[in-house]
Amino acid sequence: MLALLPVIAAAFGIPQYLPQLLKLRRTGDTAGVSWSWATLTSINNAAWFGYFMASGYWTASLPSTAAASLAGTLSVMLVRRGALNTRAVGWIAGWAGLLVVGAIVGGRIGLGSLLAAASIVQVTPSLWTAYRTAHPTGISAGTWALVLGELSCWLVFGLWNADVRLTTLGATGVLASLLMLARARATSCRRVVAADAVDGGNGRA
């Protein structure tokens, strides 16, 4: 049963950025959505594709390819809506270069060692932006629920295979997605309360 976890993870992973893309396209709302997170997600998943292929995790290459493509699309959409973080461009380019050097010099092990930290590098901007934004109404709970499903699978699979890199990826992703879902839920609840207050005021008038 545990051997099927990569397949289940793929089912969660392939469409996971679609809810965020569709919400952004529908509303144009970028509040709480980090350009740095989207860009790093695209870069890191391209690197994970290389790691999965080198490790023989063929099924895992599907969600990593989808995530790289969809997160890259999200990054472009955010730029077009003025959400580019110019201060982050330099260090993101440096991180991408470091991944390339790690793969060339250290092969699968070198790349994997960097990717063990990639999940922390990747989710930090999303949490920072969401919790620093007063009303992060642009966050898609659907995307983060799918992230939670996928990375829960990789956490268990990594523990089962004693793969420190996958375990770190899973644990970090599960924690981050829970925090993002909590933030999205709190924002949604405040909007409902505010709407009820407005309706109540109109009723009294």
Side-chain angles (χ1 to χ4, degrees):
M1 188 67 182
L2 291 175
L4 294 176
L5 284 173
V7 178
I8 301 172
F12 284 117
I14 291 173
Q16 68 184 209
Y17 293 99
L18 282 176
Q20 184 66 72
L21 285 168
L22 293 174
K23 180 171 185 176
L24 180 58
R25 182 179 179 181
R26 184 179 69 254
T27 67
D29 187 359
T30 63
V33 185
S34 168
W35 172 81
S36 300
W37 159 70
T39 305
L40 285 167
T41 297
S42 182
I43 292 170
N44 287 340
N45 274 280
W48 274 112
F49 173 82
Y51 177 79
F52 287 139
M53 294 297 287
S55 302
Y57 298 150
W58 311 115
T59 305
S61 65
L62 297 176
S64 60
T65 301
S69 301
L70 294 176
T73 302
L74 177 60
S75 175
V76 172
M77 290 176 66
L78 288 168
V79 169
R80 290 178 176 175
R81 286 162 175 77
L84 172 67
N85 183 351
T86 55
R87 293 176 297 177
V89 171
W91 71 264
I92 290 176
W95 172 253
L98 185 61
L99 288 174
V100 172
V101 171
I104 293 173
V105 175
R108 183 181 71 88
I109 301 300
L111 178 61
S113 297
L114 288 172
L115 286 173
S119 53
I120 299 173
V121 172
Q122 178 177 313
V123 301
T124 298
S126 63
L127 292 169
W128 176 264
T129 302
Y131 279 84
R132 290 271 295 180
T133 302
H135 304 288
T137 52
I139 297 173
S140 169
T143 282
W144 288 100
L146 289 169
V147 171
L148 175 61
E150 181 199 8
L151 295 181
S152 295
C153 292
W154 286 121
L155 173 59
V156 176
F157 188 76
L159 290 170
W160 179 48
N161 286 278
D163 189 320
V164 176
R165 299 159 190 84
L166 287 180
T167 301
T168 303
L169 169 69
T172 306
V174 166
L175 177 60
S177 56
L178 288 173
L179 289 171
M180 290 296 290
L181 286 169
R183 185 63 171 151
R185 179 174 176 79
T187 301
S188 177
C189 289
R190 282 198 297 270
R191 292 177 70 179
V192 170
V193 170
D196 288 344
V198 170
D199 290 342
N202 290 338
R204 287 191 298 271

